Amino acid sequence: MSQTETFSGGSKAFHWVAAVLVLLMLYGGFNLSRETATWHFGFGLIVLTVMVFWLGWRMSKPRPALPPMPRWQEISAKSVHHLLMLCVTLQPIFGLMMVTTSKREPVAFGVIPLKIAQNDTINGIGNFLHGVNGRLLLALVLIHIAAALYHHFVLKDNVLKRMLPFAKG
Ligand code: HEM
């Protein structure tokens, strides 16, 4: 990882698009209804697409190094970031395990059919993993936000600012 000071426009765009979508998906997921399910499926597939492109982008571009901090904080920060990328990418895949094997006829955005063939075993595993991973994801998001606010308001460093859309690192 090189030592550039601030995140590139592309990294910021991926971060904030994913952040808004994941927050909406968590809220929508825990409050799912017949009417909203089709939007949950559709926007979940958009999250998966964004993550595939973000992962490719992240691996090919330099990112700013973390500011100096105790070793345990560096390990925690990197672990939370990697786990967030992993859990957000896996969550739509677990969702797809459910809708592609459902006994119903789920559709995304009211029009895109998602069912391939009914399979209760895969459906049950997907349901379990989507539920567990959804709760893990919520915990990671809360830790991530708390850490960003702690950097900004307590440590008063540029960790939050360098990820804000229009701020210079
Ligand atoms: C980042 C993307 C996603 C997030 C954060 C997310 C989050 C959630 C959460 C928190 C729940 C509630 C789980 C529970 O109460 O146990 C849920 C339910 C559900 N999600 Fe997602 N989801 C995502 C993507 C998807 C996708 C792509 C699909 C399918 C195409 C999907 C299908 C479902 C289904 C079928 C349920 C209902 C499960 C049930 O009936 O118990 N989700 N989602």
Side-chain angles (χ1 to χ4, degrees), residues 21-22 25-32 40-45 47 87-88 91-96 98-99 114 127 130-132 134-135 137:
L21 286 174
V22 167
M25 292 299 294
L26 283 172
Y27 179 78
F30 285 123
N31 298 283
L32 211 59
H40 185 80
F41 305 157
F43 281 106
L45 294 178
V47 172
C87 290
V88 177
Q91 187 69 354
I93 295 173
F94 296 148
L96 274 173
M98 271 187 282
V99 289
L114 296 167
N127 195 326
H130 201 71
V132 172
R135 283 157 182 81
L137 193 48

Side-chain angles (χ1 to χ4, degrees), residues 1-73:
M1 201 185 314
S2 94
Q3 305 280 319
T4 50
E5 262 305 289
T6 186
F7 284 96
S8 64
S11 296
K12 291 180 184 182
F14 277 119
H15 176 274
W16 291 107
V17 168
V20 169
L21 286 174
V22 167
L23 288 176
L24 288 174
M25 292 299 294
L26 283 172
Y27 179 78
F30 285 123
N31 298 283
L32 211 59
S33 69
R34 256 175 194 283
E35 295 70 37
T36 59
T38 188
W39 301 103
H40 185 80
F41 305 157
F43 281 106
L45 294 178
I46 292 179
V47 172
L48 181 58
T49 311
V50 169
M51 291 312 290
V52 168
F53 283 102
W54 190 6
L55 283 166
W57 174 274
R58 202 172 185 269
M59 284 188 260
S60 63
K61 305 269 175 193
R63 273 170 288 132
L66 291 172
M69 60 177 76
R71 182 101 182 104
W72 72 268
Q73 278 182 18

